[in-house]
Amino acid sequence: MWALGTHHGPAAIFKKMVSAMMGRDVTLLRGAGTRMATWFYAIIRALRLKECLEATVGSQEHLELDRNDRMTKAVMDVKNPLIWKAMFVVTGLAHGPVLVLRYILRL
């Protein structure tokens, strides 16, 4: 939600946090409806940027923004450790089949 530009204030805060923590610009990925594997790549990228997402949610700038229902739910998801664990398990289980698909598509 933040890095995709749907809300400009949170996206700017997230971009600043990523630049400060990673030393370069990295954004979240959006899965495509036509390619199943892109959703797994998007989840892996979110896992890599977990600390940046948590820092964004906890920053004073983010707390001062006007929140709508969608932003509140996104913040709850970032703070929920069970969601991060589920994402980790799903990507671990899907890693093998995604590699097989990549191998088959190269043939």
Side-chain angles (χ1 to χ4, degrees):
M1 177 171 127
W2 290 292
L4 301 175
T6 56
H7 294 283
H8 299 294
I13 297 168
F14 178 72
K15 186 174 181 177
K16 186 170 70 171
M17 289 292 177
V18 170
S19 295
M21 295 175 80
M22 305 279 288
R24 57 191 170 110
D25 283 341
V26 181
T27 60
L28 294 173
L29 299 175
R30 183 184 298 195
T34 57
R35 302 276 183 178
M36 184 185 86
T38 58
W39 289 101
F40 296 108
Y41 293 132
I43 293 172
I44 291 168
R45 176 72 60 91
L47 287 169
R48 286 181 53 206
L49 296 174
K50 177 184 175 189
E51 293 176 0
C52 299
L53 286 166
E54 290 174 341
T56 301
V57 169
S59 71
Q60 186 62 32
E61 293 173 278
H62 191 269
L63 296 174
E64 293 171 357
L65 291 174
D66 292 330
R67 291 188 182 184
N68 59 18
D69 188 44
R70 187 174 176 190
M71 277 183 63
T72 304
K73 288 179 182 178
V75 169
M76 289 172 34
D77 287 345
V78 169
K79 290 183 177 181
N80 188 347
L82 292 176
I83 289 177
W84 293 107
K85 183 173 178 123
M87 288 169 54
F88 183 77
V89 169
V90 165
T91 55
L93 292 173
H95 182 69
V98 168
L99 289 178
V100 169
L101 285 172
R102 287 177 64 187
Y103 178 74
I104 290 172
L105 293 175
R106 287 184 186 173
L107 295 178

